[in-house]
Amino acid sequence: MSTPLEGAPAPDGAAARRRPEQLLLAFTGELMLAGGAGPVPAAVLISVLGELGAGEAATRAALTRMAGRGLLAPVRVGRTVAYGLTPQSERVLGEARDRVFDDDPFAPRGTGWTLVSFSVPETRRDVRHRVRAQLVWAGFGLLRDGLWIAPGEVDVAQALGGVRDEDPDEGVELLAFRAHEVPGFSAAASVRTAWRLEEMRQRHEQFQERWAGREPDGAHALRDVTALVADWLDLLRAVPRLPAEHLAVDWPGARSVGTFRRLHAALAGPARAELARRLS
């Protein structure tokens, strides 16, 4: 995991903390998967991320890491290197976009709760980190040691990706259950244990401070849509789908959704046109 960028300029001048990987995932999902752009030269990626405060060395290192994880495919074009999508990145980005453009990305799907318990040997810390990261993205919170909880009916098989296909001899154990509240035993305490609601409110407010008063800038659409989607993905990762009855009446989720949709609708087309010009 790379070090967060300190003080990188956000479009509104506020300090941002965006890792190059975050920006690259946003760019590839928005411009390559959805926008249909082919392999993009490293120089173009370095230029776009540079406008958002990422140095050339940091971007090149992130490209190398993502290629090593099978998320980007380097392609030699003359003397230059371009990067395209892989089947793995298309799957990962496609799943992410399902939530990015969900009608209500902060509302649970289905009723009740989903519980997951897992055990991974000390020798497989890489797998443990992967499971935890994928559970967080799927909206799970840590209820107590080894037991994770998420509202609604989460598709655990999809959430855990290829982890379930690990060699069983490696000692990776995964269990998943559906649960419903027993009358008289509220889940409110569990929600407060698994998720820090005030921190989540602050993440919404930070997104609003950065973007709510922003008017689309067609001259910098490619830069801005990359930053917008990166920030939106970061917010979705930090704020899971929680039942409305466990949230305050002034919960800011709907405002964040409205802000994202307004700006994305204005920036997506101009950003694709700008990328096409840079690639021509």
Side-chain angles (χ1 to χ4, degrees), residues 198-254:
E198 282 310 306
E199 290 185 9
M200 293 177 184
R201 177 188 287 275
Q202 290 173 12
R203 296 297 289 270
H204 275 295
E205 291 172 350
Q206 289 166 1
F207 181 82
Q208 290 290 317
E209 289 171 5
R210 184 175 293 166
W211 292 104
R214 178 100 183 142
E215 291 302 321
D217 181 359
H220 298 95
L222 185 57
R223 176 201 70 185
D224 288 355
V225 83
T226 299
L228 174 68
V229 174
D231 289 351
W232 187 239
L233 286 168
D234 191 52
L235 181 62
L236 294 178
R237 188 176 294 107
V239 182
R241 300 174 180 271
L242 293 175
E245 60 265 27
H246 294 293
L247 303 174
V249 294
D250 63 343
W251 191 252

Side-chain angles (χ1 to χ4, degrees), residues 40-58:
V40 176
V44 173
L45 297 170
I46 290 168
S47 175
V48 174
L49 268 62
E51 295 174 39
L52 292 164
E56 178 176 347

Side-chain angles (χ1 to χ4, degrees), residues 34-240:
V40 176
V44 173
L45 297 170
I46 290 168
S47 175
V48 174
L49 268 62
E51 295 174 39
L52 292 164
E56 178 176 347
T59 299
R60 288 191 183 278
L63 289 168
T64 299
R65 284 193 295 271
M66 293 177 68
R69 298 203 307 268
L71 294 174
L72 290 174
V75 179
R76 178 67 66 175
V77 181
R79 294 185 175 183
T80 65
V81 175
Y83 289 87
L85 300 180
T86 67
Q88 181 182 350
S89 61
E90 289 178 352
R91 176 183 62 79
V92 171
L93 294 170
E95 291 173 1
R97 286 185 69 80
D98 286 345
R99 189 176 178 206
V100 166
F101 295 102
D102 195 321
D103 288 341
D104 189 346
F106 298 111
R109 290 177 171 174
T111 60
W113 303 83
T114 302
L115 300 173
V116 168
S117 178
F118 71 90
S119 175
V120 179
E122 280 294 321
T123 55
R124 298 304 309 276
R125 292 185 180 182
D126 59 323
V127 176
R128 181 185 291 113
H129 174 76
R130 204 161 101 227
V131 172
R132 291 174 66 94
Q134 291 178 208
L135 286 174
V136 169
W137 170 250
F140 284 84
L142 182 60
L143 187 58
R144 57 180 52 89
D145 189 31
L147 182 61
W148 294 69
I149 186 171
E153 300 167 11
V154 179
D155 186 339
V156 179
Q158 182 185 58
L160 292 178
V163 175
R164 294 176 67 243
D165 302 324
E166 295 283 341
D167 187 342
D169 293 335
E170 292 290 341
V172 178
E173 298 179 0
L174 295 166
L175 296 173
F177 309 89
R178 302 280 188 219
H180 292 274
E181 291 180 43
V182 175
F185 294 85
S186 172
S190 296
V191 170
R192 290 192 296 271
T193 298
W195 296 284
R196 298 173 177 172
L197 297 183
E198 282 310 306
E199 290 185 9
M200 293 177 184
R201 177 188 287 275
Q202 290 173 12
R203 296 297 289 270
H204 275 295
E205 291 172 350
Q206 289 166 1
F207 181 82
Q208 290 290 317
E209 289 171 5
R210 184 175 293 166
W211 292 104
R214 178 100 183 142
E215 291 302 321
D217 181 359
H220 298 95
L222 185 57
R223 176 201 70 185
D224 288 355
V225 83
T226 299
L228 174 68
V229 174
D231 289 351
W232 187 239
L233 286 168
D234 191 52
L235 181 62
L236 294 178
R237 188 176 294 107
V239 182

